[in-house]
Amino acid sequence: DGGITQSPKYLFRKEGQNVTLSCEQNLNHDAMYWYRQDPGQGLRLIYYSQIVNDFQKGDIAEGYSVSREKKESFPLTVTSAQKNPTAFYLCASSTGSTTGELFFGEGSRLTVL
Amino acid sequence: GENVEQHPSTLSVQEGDSAVIKCTYSDSASNYFPWYKQELGKRPQLIIDIRSNVGEKKDQRIAVTLNKTAKHFSLHITETQPEDSAVYFCAGYSGTYKYIFGTGTRLKVLA
């Protein structure tokens, strides 16, 4: 069954800790994305990657890091430098064409205690 | 920078009535406009999209219209049903791997 899998679904973090959110896709998509969702603010782009071993900062990249060592995997690390990390995080992928549909994972809800 | 404004932020309609959500974009290079539906606690899913060379597209009870001159596009849902209750997001895309999303509309269909 093709799709995008995010884990964990819920995550609690103490202040000062780094956490890594997993995102795996078996759609053979070239492009992958991480979005942050806060109430009333829509979806904001954190990082995106067009191809393996390449990624670009989005609008709110500060305090986050990513890697793209494999086509199917795009993990996001929320570092201690992110001042307000409590949010819902969505991973997505697309074919990367000029009008490609975004396919989203189920999301990961991070709460800082 | 580029942005997409979406209105209203909340919308309540009686079951069977129509619902309209409007978005305005700023990037003239935008050429693809998808609409996503997100039910509570679930992933956003594409419900309809439109490309810049088309003025209107329909899919059963859902339609999207695009006015390139005015830089706005709208989602129309007719004969609303309780299962249409969700948050709807519009987006603009200019082919640079960056989708610009609106802030979402929470639609409530009252039975």
Side-chain angles (χ1 to χ4, degrees):
Chain A
D1 188 22
I4 301 179
T5 302
Q6 287 186 241
S7 62
K9 192 167 185 176
Y10 300 95
L11 185 61
F12 298 89
R13 187 194 94 172
K14 293 182 180 179
E15 285 194 18
Q17 287 182 333
N18 293 354
V19 293
T20 297
L21 308 180
S22 170
C23 178
E24 303 277 332
Q25 55 101 355
N26 60 6
L27 300 168
N28 199 33
H29 285 169
D30 288 318
M32 296 188 73
Y33 310 76
W34 274 104
Y35 289 92
R36 171 177 170 145
Q37 186 173 27
D38 296 283
Q41 296 195 49
L43 301 173
R44 294 184 291 168
L45 182 64
I46 304 172
Y47 269 97
Y48 66 101
S49 168
Q50 301 173 32
I51 56 173
V52 175
N53 293 323
D54 186 52
F55 48 84
Q56 285 77 41
K57 293 182 179 180
D59 300 317
I60 55 167
E62 185 175 351
Y64 300 97
S65 66
V66 293
S67 63
R68 186 85 186 275
E69 297 177 0
K70 298 185 296 182
K71 185 176 184 178
E72 58 270 22
S73 179
F74 192 41
L76 173 75
T77 297
V78 184
T79 75
S80 57
Q82 169 51 234
K83 298 305 179 188
N84 185 22
T86 295
F88 189 57
Y89 292 89
L90 284 162
C91 180
S93 71
S94 75
T95 59
S97 68
T98 55
T99 55
E101 175 185 349
L102 272 180
F103 292 82
F104 286 91
E106 293 282 3
S108 295
R109 186 167 298 280
L110 172 63
T111 303
V112 174
L113 303 174
Chain B
E2 300 91 354
N3 74 309
V4 173
E5 293 187 1
Q6 183 172 346
H7 298 281
S9 56
T10 60
L11 178 60
S12 293
V13 298
Q14 290 292 327
E15 183 178 358
D17 287 350
S18 296
V20 180
I21 303 170
K22 299 181 179 181
C23 290
T24 303
Y25 61 97
S26 61
D27 185 0
S28 299
S30 296
N31 56 18
Y32 174 65
F33 306 93
W35 284 89
Y36 286 84
K37 175 183 180 182
Q38 185 178 28
E39 297 179 11
L40 189 63
K42 296 191 176 181
R43 71 182 83 194
Q45 291 192 304
L46 180 73
I47 56 171
I48 196 167
D49 56 15
I50 192 167
R51 289 162 174 74
S52 58
N53 59 348
V54 176
E56 182 176 2
K57 183 177 179 180
K58 292 184 71 174
D59 183 3
Q60 299 183 338
R61 296 186 298 108
I62 295 174
V64 57
T65 58
L66 172 64
N67 183 328
K68 286 180 59 179
T69 303
K71 293 184 186 175
H72 66 70
F73 55 111
S74 301
L75 177 70
H76 304 254
I77 306 174
T78 59
E79 302 173 18
T80 54
Q81 301 167 4
E83 52 265 38
D84 294 329
S85 296
V87 177
Y88 292 81
F89 292 97
C90 62
Y93 181 67
S94 59
T96 56
Y97 294 90
K98 291 184 70 174
Y99 296 75
I100 308 299
F101 283 88
T103 51
T105 296
R106 183 173 299 279
L107 173 64
K108 296 182 182 179
V109 179
L110 307 173

